[in-house]
Amino acid sequence: MDELIKTFKALSEDTRLRIIKLLEGGELCVCDIVAALDIIQPKVSFHLNVLKEAGFLKDRKQGRWTHYRIDDTDFFRRFLLVSVLERIPKEALAADRKRLETFMEDKPVRDNLVSLPEKKRCAGRCR
Amino acid sequence: MDELIKTFKALSEDTRLRIIKLLEGGELCVCDIVAALDIIQPKVSFHLNVLKEAGFLKDRKQGRWTHYRIDDTDFFRRFLLVSVLERIPKEALAADRKRLETFMEDKPVRDNLVSLPEKKRCAGRCR
DNA sequence: CTATTATATAAATAATACTTTATATAATAG
DNA sequence: CTATTATATAAAGTATTATTTATATAATAG
Protein backbone atom coordinates (compact mmCIF):
# COMPACT_ATOMS: atom_id res chain seq x y z
CA MET A 1 0.00 0.00 0.00
CA ASP A 2 2.95 2.31 0.69
CA GLU A 3 4.06 2.16 -2.92
CA LEU A 4 0.56 3.06 -4.08
CA ILE A 5 0.52 6.05 -1.73
CA LYS A 6 3.94 7.15 -2.93
CA THR A 7 2.71 6.90 -6.51
CA PHE A 8 -0.29 9.15 -5.94
CA LYS A 9 1.58 11.53 -3.66
CA ALA A 10 4.12 12.18 -6.40
CA LEU A 11 1.28 13.44 -8.58
CA SER A 12 -0.24 15.59 -5.84
CA GLU A 13 1.84 18.69 -6.31
CA ASP A 14 1.84 21.61 -8.66
CA THR A 15 5.54 21.85 -9.51
CA ARG A 16 5.74 18.13 -10.19
CA LEU A 17 2.83 18.22 -12.63
CA ARG A 18 4.46 21.17 -14.39
CA ILE A 19 7.64 19.11 -14.73
CA ILE A 20 5.73 16.16 -16.14
CA LYS A 21 4.00 18.42 -18.62
CA LEU A 22 7.35 19.86 -19.69
CA LEU A 23 8.88 16.43 -20.15
CA GLU A 24 5.99 15.48 -22.41
CA GLY A 25 8.12 17.16 -25.10
CA GLY A 26 11.09 14.90 -24.40
CA GLU A 27 14.18 14.69 -22.25
CA LEU A 28 15.48 17.84 -20.57
CA CYS A 29 18.41 18.63 -18.31
CA VAL A 30 17.90 20.18 -14.89
CA CYS A 31 18.96 23.62 -16.05
CA ASP A 32 16.34 23.57 -18.81
CA ILE A 33 13.64 22.81 -16.26
CA VAL A 34 14.94 25.47 -13.89
CA ALA A 35 14.71 28.02 -16.70
CA ALA A 36 11.29 26.87 -17.86
CA LEU A 37 9.68 26.86 -14.43
CA ASP A 38 11.61 29.92 -13.30
CA ILE A 39 12.24 28.50 -9.85
CA ILE A 40 15.45 27.81 -7.95
CA GLN A 41 17.51 24.77 -8.78
CA PRO A 42 17.39 22.90 -5.41
CA LYS A 43 13.62 23.04 -5.56
CA VAL A 44 13.64 21.50 -9.02
CA SER A 45 16.10 18.82 -7.95
CA PHE A 46 13.91 18.01 -4.96
CA HIS A 47 10.81 17.47 -7.07
CA LEU A 48 12.66 15.60 -9.79
CA ASN A 49 13.86 13.23 -7.13
CA VAL A 50 10.33 12.70 -5.76
CA LEU A 51 9.12 11.83 -9.26
CA LYS A 52 12.08 9.57 -9.87
CA GLU A 53 11.64 7.74 -6.57
CA ALA A 54 7.99 7.19 -7.42
CA GLY A 55 8.96 5.62 -10.74
CA PHE A 56 7.71 8.38 -13.04
CA LEU A 57 11.09 9.60 -14.26
CA LYS A 58 14.44 8.22 -15.29
CA ASP A 59 17.68 10.14 -15.26
CA ARG A 60 20.74 9.93 -17.42
CA LYS A 61 24.03 11.53 -16.42
CA GLN A 62 26.05 13.04 -19.21
CA GLY A 63 29.15 14.95 -18.24
CA ARG A 64 28.12 17.64 -15.79
CA TRP A 65 24.48 17.38 -16.73
CA THR A 66 21.66 15.18 -15.61
CA HIS A 67 18.89 14.66 -18.12
CA TYR A 68 15.47 13.58 -16.98
CA ARG A 69 12.80 11.92 -19.04
CA ILE A 70 9.51 10.16 -18.50
CA ASP A 71 9.85 6.53 -17.50
CA ASP A 72 7.12 4.67 -19.32
CA THR A 73 8.14 1.14 -18.44
CA ASP A 74 5.31 0.59 -15.98
CA PHE A 75 1.84 0.37 -17.44
CA PHE A 76 -0.07 1.84 -14.51
CA ARG A 77 2.25 4.82 -14.09
CA ARG A 78 2.10 5.36 -17.83
CA PHE A 79 -1.65 5.50 -17.69
CA LEU A 80 -1.48 7.99 -14.83
CA LEU A 81 0.97 10.16 -16.76
CA VAL A 82 -1.21 10.16 -19.84
CA SER A 83 -4.19 11.05 -17.66
CA VAL A 84 -2.26 13.94 -16.19
CA LEU A 85 -1.03 15.19 -19.54
CA GLU A 86 -4.45 15.12 -21.15
CA ARG A 87 -6.03 16.87 -18.17
CA ILE A 88 -3.68 19.81 -18.13
CA PRO A 89 -4.75 22.14 -20.94
CA LYS A 90 -1.97 23.44 -23.14
CA GLU A 91 -2.73 27.06 -22.24
CA ALA A 92 -2.43 26.38 -18.50
CA LEU A 93 1.36 26.08 -18.64
CA ALA A 94 2.01 28.22 -21.70
CA ALA A 95 4.40 30.43 -19.72
CA ASP A 96 6.59 27.45 -18.80
CA ARG A 97 6.71 26.31 -22.38
CA LYS A 98 7.48 29.83 -23.56
CA ARG A 99 10.38 30.23 -21.12
CA LEU A 100 11.73 26.85 -22.19
CA GLU A 101 11.59 27.83 -25.85
CA THR A 102 13.28 31.15 -25.20
CA PHE A 103 15.96 29.42 -23.16
CA MET A 104 16.53 26.84 -25.88
CA GLU A 105 16.67 29.35 -28.72
CA ASP A 106 18.78 31.91 -26.92
CA LYS A 107 21.87 29.74 -26.47
CA PRO A 108 24.85 31.35 -28.20
CA VAL A 109 27.29 29.03 -26.46
CA ARG A 110 25.60 25.86 -27.51
CA ASP A 111 25.86 26.88 -31.12
CA ASN A 112 29.62 26.97 -30.69
CA LEU A 113 29.52 23.43 -29.39
CA VAL A 114 27.26 21.82 -31.93
CA SER A 115 30.25 20.23 -33.60
CA LEU A 116 31.62 18.85 -30.34
CA PRO A 117 30.91 15.27 -29.30
CA GLU A 118 27.49 14.64 -27.68
CA LYS A 119 29.17 14.13 -24.31
CA LYS A 120 30.08 17.79 -24.09
CA ARG A 121 26.82 19.39 -25.10
CA CYS A 122 23.77 20.37 -23.12
CA ALA A 123 20.29 20.70 -24.53
CA GLY A 124 20.10 24.21 -23.12
CA ARG A 125 22.51 27.09 -23.21
CA CYS A 126 24.81 25.50 -20.63
CA ARG A 127 28.51 25.85 -21.44
CA MET B 1 -4.82 21.49 -12.39
CA ASP B 2 -6.01 22.02 -8.81
CA GLU B 3 -8.76 19.46 -9.24
CA LEU B 4 -6.26 16.93 -10.55
CA ILE B 5 -4.02 17.52 -7.54
CA LYS B 6 -6.97 17.17 -5.18
CA THR B 7 -7.89 13.91 -6.88
CA PHE B 8 -4.47 12.35 -6.40
CA LYS B 9 -3.99 13.80 -2.93
CA ALA B 10 -7.17 12.11 -1.78
CA LEU B 11 -5.61 8.77 -2.68
CA SER B 12 -2.28 9.56 -1.00
CA GLU B 13 -3.17 8.50 2.50
CA ASP B 14 -3.36 5.25 4.36
CA THR B 15 -6.65 5.70 6.21
CA ARG B 16 -8.41 6.86 3.07
CA LEU B 17 -7.29 3.82 1.10
CA ARG B 18 -8.51 1.61 3.94
CA ILE B 19 -11.88 3.34 3.75
CA ILE B 20 -12.07 2.83 0.00
CA LYS B 21 -11.21 -0.82 0.40
CA LEU B 22 -13.93 -1.20 3.03
CA LEU B 23 -16.53 0.47 0.84
CA GLU B 24 -15.71 -1.95 -1.95
CA GLY B 25 -18.21 -4.19 -0.14
CA GLY B 26 -20.97 -1.57 -0.34
CA GLU B 27 -22.41 1.33 1.57
CA LEU B 28 -21.52 1.77 5.25
CA CYS B 29 -22.44 4.30 7.90
CA VAL B 30 -19.77 6.24 9.77
CA CYS B 31 -20.06 4.11 12.89
CA ASP B 32 -19.40 0.97 10.84
CA ILE B 33 -16.21 2.48 9.49
CA VAL B 34 -15.15 3.69 12.92
CA ALA B 35 -15.55 0.15 14.22
CA ALA B 36 -13.81 -1.48 11.27
CA LEU B 37 -10.78 0.80 11.28
CA ASP B 38 -10.72 1.05 15.06
CA ILE B 39 -9.94 4.74 15.03
CA ILE B 40 -11.73 7.71 16.54
CA GLN B 41 -14.81 9.13 14.85
CA PRO B 42 -13.61 12.67 14.05
CA LYS B 43 -10.66 11.19 12.24
CA VAL B 44 -12.95 9.03 10.15
CA SER B 45 -15.24 11.98 9.40
CA PHE B 46 -12.25 14.04 8.34
CA HIS B 47 -11.05 11.46 5.84
CA LEU B 48 -14.54 10.71 4.57
CA ASN B 49 -14.91 14.38 3.82
CA VAL B 50 -11.60 14.52 1.95
CA LEU B 51 -12.70 11.60 -0.23
CA LYS B 52 -16.12 13.13 -0.76
CA GLU B 53 -14.70 16.53 -1.70
CA ALA B 54 -12.44 14.82 -4.20
CA GLY B 55 -15.43 13.12 -5.80
CA PHE B 56 -14.68 9.57 -4.71
CA LEU B 57 -17.57 9.16 -2.29
CA LYS B 58 -21.21 10.07 -2.01
CA ASP B 59 -23.14 10.35 1.22
CA ARG B 60 -26.71 9.71 2.09
CA LYS B 61 -28.31 10.97 5.30
CA GLN B 62 -30.81 8.69 6.91
CA GLY B 63 -32.16 9.74 10.29
CA ARG B 64 -29.16 10.22 12.57
CA TRP B 65 -26.85 8.28 10.32
CA THR B 66 -24.78 9.19 7.34
CA HIS B 67 -24.05 6.41 4.91
CA TYR B 68 -21.11 6.63 2.55
CA ARG B 69 -20.59 4.76 -0.66
CA ILE B 70 -18.28 4.86 -3.64
CA ASP B 71 -19.26 7.43 -6.24
CA ASP B 72 -18.63 5.81 -9.59
CA THR B 73 -20.20 8.46 -11.79
CA ASP B 74 -16.89 9.78 -13.10
CA PHE B 75 -14.95 7.48 -15.37
CA PHE B 76 -11.47 8.63 -14.41
CA ARG B 77 -12.08 8.41 -10.67
CA ARG B 78 -13.69 5.04 -11.19
CA PHE B 79 -10.58 3.82 -12.95
CA LEU B 80 -8.43 5.13 -10.11
CA LEU B 81 -10.62 3.39 -7.54
CA VAL B 82 -10.44 0.10 -9.39
CA SER B 83 -6.68 0.51 -9.63
CA VAL B 84 -6.49 1.07 -5.90
CA LEU B 85 -8.75 -1.85 -5.05
CA GLU B 86 -6.88 -4.31 -7.22
CA ARG B 87 -3.52 -3.16 -5.86
CA ILE B 88 -4.40 -3.65 -2.20
CA PRO B 89 -4.17 -7.39 -1.51
CA LYS B 90 -7.07 -8.84 0.44
CA GLU B 91 -4.83 -9.97 3.29
CA ALA B 92 -3.39 -6.47 3.79
CA LEU B 93 -6.56 -5.17 5.41
CA ALA B 94 -7.93 -8.42 6.78
CA ALA B 95 -8.09 -6.96 10.29
CA ASP B 96 -10.35 -4.12 9.14
CA ARG B 97 -12.66 -6.53 7.41
CA LYS B 98 -12.68 -8.80 10.42
CA ARG B 99 -13.62 -5.98 12.80
CA LEU B 100 -16.36 -4.89 10.42
CA GLU B 101 -17.78 -8.40 10.29
CA THR B 102 -17.69 -8.75 14.05
CA PHE B 103 -19.36 -5.38 14.45
CA MET B 104 -22.05 -6.26 11.93
CA GLU B 105 -22.78 -9.66 13.45
CA ASP B 106 -22.69 -8.57 17.04
CA LYS B 107 -25.62 -6.16 16.90
CA PRO B 108 -28.35 -7.26 19.31
CA VAL B 109 -30.17 -3.96 19.01
CA ARG B 110 -30.38 -4.00 15.27
CA ASP B 111 -32.10 -7.38 15.39
CA ASN B 112 -34.83 -5.76 17.47
CA LEU B 113 -35.28 -3.19 14.79
CA VAL B 114 -35.33 -5.36 11.74
CA SER B 115 -39.08 -5.01 11.52
CA LEU B 116 -38.99 -1.25 11.93
CA PRO B 117 -39.10 1.01 8.89
CA GLU B 118 -35.80 1.43 7.02
CA LYS B 119 -35.59 5.02 8.21
CA LYS B 120 -34.95 3.90 11.76
CA ARG B 121 -32.32 1.26 11.17
CA CYS B 122 -28.57 1.41 10.90
CA ALA B 123 -26.43 -1.11 9.08
CA GLY B 124 -24.37 -1.62 12.24
CA ARG B 125 -25.38 -2.08 15.82
CA CYS B 126 -26.37 1.55 16.24
CA ARG B 127 -29.57 2.01 18.21
C1' DC C 1 46.04 22.54 -10.78
C1' DT C 2 42.36 26.15 -10.22
C1' DA C 3 38.07 28.13 -11.40
C1' DT C 4 33.73 27.38 -13.03
C1' DT C 5 29.56 24.96 -13.97
C1' DA C 6 25.66 21.63 -13.20
C1' DT C 7 23.53 19.24 -9.92
C1' DA C 8 22.79 17.20 -5.40
C1' DT C 9 22.25 17.28 -0.61
C1' DA C 10 21.98 19.05 4.24
C1' DA C 11 20.10 22.15 7.55
C1' DA C 12 16.82 25.49 8.80
C1' DT C 13 12.43 27.43 8.05
C1' DA C 14 7.79 27.69 6.34
C1' DA C 15 3.64 25.73 4.83
C1' DT C 16 0.29 21.80 4.77
C1' DA C 17 -1.90 18.02 6.29
C1' DC C 18 -3.26 15.00 9.89
C1' DT C 19 -4.71 13.90 14.66
C1' DT C 20 -6.80 14.77 18.92
C1' DT C 21 -9.81 16.91 22.18
C1' DA C 22 -13.70 19.43 22.89
C1' DT C 23 -17.98 20.99 21.45
C1' DA C 24 -21.92 21.73 18.22
C1' DT C 25 -25.87 20.03 15.70
C1' DA C 26 -29.57 17.34 14.38
C1' DA C 27 -32.43 13.31 14.98
C1' DT C 28 -35.02 10.65 17.99
C1' DA C 29 -35.98 7.68 21.97
C1' DG C 30 -38.18 8.02 26.30
C1' DC D 1 -39.14 18.47 26.88
C1' DT D 2 -34.75 16.00 28.16
C1' DA D 3 -31.32 12.68 27.35
C1' DT D 4 -28.95 10.14 24.14
C1' DT D 5 -26.95 8.97 19.81
C1' DA D 6 -24.55 9.69 15.27
C1' DT D 7 -21.99 12.71 13.00
C1' DA D 8 -19.78 17.13 12.00
C1' DT D 9 -16.85 20.84 12.94
C1' DA D 10 -13.61 23.97 15.42
C1' DA D 11 -9.44 24.65 17.84
C1' DA D 12 -5.02 23.14 19.28
C1' DG D 13 -1.29 20.29 18.78
C1' DT D 14 1.72 17.17 15.98
C1' DA D 15 3.75 15.41 11.95
C1' DT D 16 4.90 15.60 7.26
C1' DT D 17 6.21 17.91 3.19
C1' DA D 18 7.93 21.77 0.64
C1' DT D 19 11.02 25.76 0.29
C1' DT D 20 15.12 28.28 1.00
C1' DT D 21 19.87 29.05 1.97
C1' DA D 22 24.21 27.23 2.20
C1' DT D 23 27.44 23.95 0.93
C1' DA D 24 29.22 19.66 -1.23
C1' DT D 25 30.52 17.01 -5.24
C1' DA D 26 31.83 15.88 -9.68
C1' DA D 27 32.97 17.22 -14.33
C1' DT D 28 35.61 20.04 -17.17
C1' DA D 29 37.35 24.34 -19.19
C1' DG D 30 41.34 27.05 -19.03
Side-chain angles (χ1 to χ4, degrees), chain A residues 1-108:
Chain A
M1 200 151 92
D2 290 354
E3 198 196 326
L4 198 54
I5 289 172
K6 198 199 240 184
T7 302
F8 290 126
K9 197 170 287 181
L11 301 178
S12 304
E13 207 271 343
D14 185 66
T15 306
R16 293 197 285 269
L17 295 192
R18 287 168 71 196
I19 289 173
I20 287 168
K21 193 68 180 170
L22 269 181
L23 292 176
E24 183 179 16
E27 187 180 79
L28 293 173
C29 75
V30 179
C31 68
D32 296 332
I33 300 170
V34 168
L37 302 187
D38 195 26
I39 57 182
I40 61 177
Q41 173 267 315
K43 183 170 169 178
V44 171
S45 285
F46 171 81
H47 290 295
L48 284 169
N49 189 54
V50 172
L51 287 167
K52 183 183 150 192
E53 287 297 310
F56 288 108
L57 300 183
K58 271 182 176 165
D59 63 346
R60 180 175 66 86
K61 307 239 154 132
Q62 182 188 51
R64 287 181 275 181
W65 300 281
T66 311
H67 295 257
Y68 284 86
R69 66 182 185 286
I70 286 175
D71 181 351
D72 62 358
T73 52
D74 176 66
F75 184 80
F76 178 52
R77 289 181 179 80
R78 205 160 121 185
F79 177 89
L80 292 174
L81 286 172
V82 171
S83 304
V84 165
L85 293 174
E86 75 182 16
R87 277 171 179 75
I88 300 177
K90 193 185 275 194
E91 66 273 17
L93 301 179
D96 292 353
R97 199 161 301 253
K98 178 67 188 154
R99 277 188 298 262
L100 180 63
E101 276 166 28
T102 306
F103 183 73
M104 291 304 215
E105 282 162 14
D106 185 25
K107 48 191 170 189

Side-chain angles (χ1 to χ4, degrees), chain A residues 104-120:
Chain A
M104 291 304 215
E105 282 162 14
D106 185 25
K107 48 191 170 189
V109 183
R110 188 220 173 162
D111 289 342
N112 298 336
L113 295 170
V114 163
S115 57
L116 291 180
E118 189 67 27
K119 264 184 80 88
K120 307 216 169 163

Side-chain angles (χ1 to χ4, degrees), chain B residues 46-69:
Chain B
F46 171 81
H47 290 296
L48 285 169
N49 190 53
V50 172
L51 287 167
K52 184 184 151 191
E53 288 296 311
F56 287 108
L57 300 184
K58 271 181 174 165
D59 63 346
R60 180 176 66 87
K61 306 240 155 129
Q62 182 189 52
R64 288 181 275 182
W65 300 280
T66 312
H67 295 258
Y68 285 86
R69 66 183 186 286

Side-chain angles (χ1 to χ4, degrees), chain B residues 9 13 15-16 40 42-43 46-47 63-64 120:
Chain B
K9 197 169 287 180
E13 208 270 344
T15 307
R16 292 196 287 269
I40 61 178
K43 184 171 169 177
F46 171 81
H47 290 296
R64 288 181 275 182
K120 308 215 169 163

Side-chain angles (χ1 to χ4, degrees), chain B residues 100-111 124-126:
Chain B
L100 179 63
E101 276 166 29
T102 305
F103 182 74
M104 290 306 214
E105 281 163 15
D106 183 24
K107 49 191 170 191
V109 181
R110 188 221 174 160
D111 288 342
R125 69 166 164 232
C126 330

Side-chain angles (χ1 to χ4, degrees), chain B residues 79-122:
Chain B
F79 177 88
L80 291 175
L81 286 172
V82 171
S83 303
V84 166
L85 293 174
E86 75 182 16
R87 277 172 178 73
I88 300 177
K90 192 184 274 191
E91 66 274 16
L93 302 178
D96 292 353
R97 199 160 302 251
K98 179 67 188 155
R99 277 187 298 261
L100 179 63
E101 276 166 29
T102 305
F103 182 74
M104 290 306 214
E105 281 163 15
D106 183 24
K107 49 191 170 191
V109 181
R110 188 221 174 160
D111 288 342
N112 298 336
L113 295 169
V114 163
S115 56
L116 292 179
E118 188 67 28
K119 263 184 80 84
K120 308 215 169 163
R121 292 195 295 111
C122 171

